[in-house]
């Protein structure tokens, strides 16, 4: 009594094996348990028919299988589904399913809120409340998989929801290791992208890890003066230091870094900015993703007019940089970063 239940969702396969050993079970039971939780997405022991009857009877008093709860679901006309998820302590986070022609991407959160206070980001307005646990991050993905229609399958995972993943590195690393395990959800690291606002020590840690996921860096400015204003993290790790960490990042063959660039009217969208960006990224194996700003009355900036975004893109393309304009998804359901949670907080 009083002993906290182990949450199986946050355990690595080796840990479920060790757990079974401490319960006097054979180690292979731990692998079975991991498979039940991570690959077959069981949420109760009743389903786990390959386990012994005794183990099934014992489990509920010793372990639990947590899932965030769906507080709100909004479905956009373009198929985007946005979830406000309720965690065990009542906090709320956002996760999004984004279907494409040939992909189905899950965009997941890594923190409740975010401490970085980027000027164009709604999540930043609320500050950070806490880090997600590895079980909560894995839980987001398992829950989204539970939500899929027959025939649908998640193809990609992006850590671009609420929070700065590199400020919660241990939990993110653990969650991604669990999700990529072939006995579990079996995600390929090359279909996972971690996006950072530019936390340099975190980029170095990620480089030293063997996660092998793709890295996206939210650059969004070409001078320190402007980046200091719109992304305060730049005061700590300015552009030159950030790009040095990117140059030092060991990229596997045929892979590229992504630089995200939120287009803000009159702030960072001039032809001079585009030309400076070309010079800054010279020699980096990368592509640029231009993101039309998702405006809300709570944020000071306005979106760049479409022609200016296209002119910006043209300058990059003329300099042989791959540059795409991100298609805005789920506009009719407040799908941009932090919007749903902020609306609910106001209500
Ligand atoms: N903290 C990480 C991941 C979360 S933000 C990061 O900064 O990369 C994911 C992406 O959404 C970032 O590229 C960010 O610049 C972008 N973003 C945030 N608010 C936005 C808004 N209002 N409109 C468009 N893009 C936004």
């Amino acid at each position: 009594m009083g002993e906290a239940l182990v949450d199986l969702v946050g355990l690595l396969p080796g840990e479920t094996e060790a757990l079974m050993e401490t319960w006097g079970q054979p180690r292979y039971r731990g692998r079975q348990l991991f498979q039940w939780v991570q690959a077959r997405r069981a949420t109760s022991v009743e389903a786990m028919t390959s386990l012994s009857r005794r183990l099934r009877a014992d489990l509920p008093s010793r372990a639990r299988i947590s899932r965030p709860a769906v507080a709100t679901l909004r479905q956009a006309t373009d198929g985007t589904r946005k979830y406000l998820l309720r965690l065990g302590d009542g906090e709320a986070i956002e996760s999004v399913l984004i279907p494409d022609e040939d992909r189905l991407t899950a965009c997941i959160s890594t923190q409740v809120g975010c401490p970085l206070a980027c000027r164009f980001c709604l999540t930043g307005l609320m500050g950070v409340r806490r880090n997600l646990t590895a079980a909560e991050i894995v839980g987001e993905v398992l829950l989204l998989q539970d939500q899929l229609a027959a025939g649908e399958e998640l193809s990609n995972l992006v850590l671009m929801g609420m929070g700065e993943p590199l400020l919660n590195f241990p939990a993110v690393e653990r969650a991604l290791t669990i999700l990529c395990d072939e006995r579990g959800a079996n995600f390929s690291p090359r279909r996972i992208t971690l996006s950072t606002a530019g936390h340099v020590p975190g980029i170095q840690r990620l480089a030293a890890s063997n996660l092998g996921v793709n890295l996206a860096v939210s650059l969004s400015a070409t001078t320190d003066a402007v980046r200091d204003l719109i992304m305060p993290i730049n005061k700590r790790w300015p552009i030159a230091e950030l790009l040095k960490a990117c140059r030092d990042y060991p990229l596997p063959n045929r892979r590229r870094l992504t630089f995200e660039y939120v287009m803000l009217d009159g702030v960072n969208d001039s032809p001079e900015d585009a030309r400076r960006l070309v010079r800054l990224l010279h020699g980096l194996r990368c592509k640029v993703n231009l993101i039309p700003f998702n405006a809300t009355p709570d944020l000071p900036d306005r979106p760049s007019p479409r022609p200016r975004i296209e002119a910006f893109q043209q300058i990059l393309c003329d300099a042989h940089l791959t540059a795409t304009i991100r298609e805005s998804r789920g506009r009719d359901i407040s799908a941009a970063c932090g919007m749903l949670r902020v609306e609910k907080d106001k209500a």
Side-chain angles (χ1 to χ4, degrees), residues 120-121 159-161 163-165 195-197 218 220 260 262 291-294 299 337:
F120 48 80
C121 177
L159 279 60
M160 296 186 188
E164 167 52 47
S195 178
T196 178
S218 302
S220 296
E260 295 155 286
V262 180
I291 310 179
F293 172 56
N294 247 307
L299 297 169
C337 196

Side-chain angles (χ1 to χ4, degrees), residues 110 114 116 118 120-123 159-165 194-198 216-220 231 260-264 291-296 299 326 336-337 339:
T110 53
C114 182
L116 296 182
C118 298
F120 48 80
C121 177
L122 261 187
T123 301
L159 279 60
M160 296 186 188
M162 301 170 85
E164 167 52 47
L194 184 155
S195 178
T196 178
V217 176
S218 302
L219 191 58
S220 296
M231 299 185 72
E260 295 155 286
Y261 198 102
V262 180
M263 301 292 290
L264 305 171
I291 310 179
F293 172 56
N294 247 307
T296 88
L299 297 169
R326 183 179 294 170
C337 196
M339 285 188 176

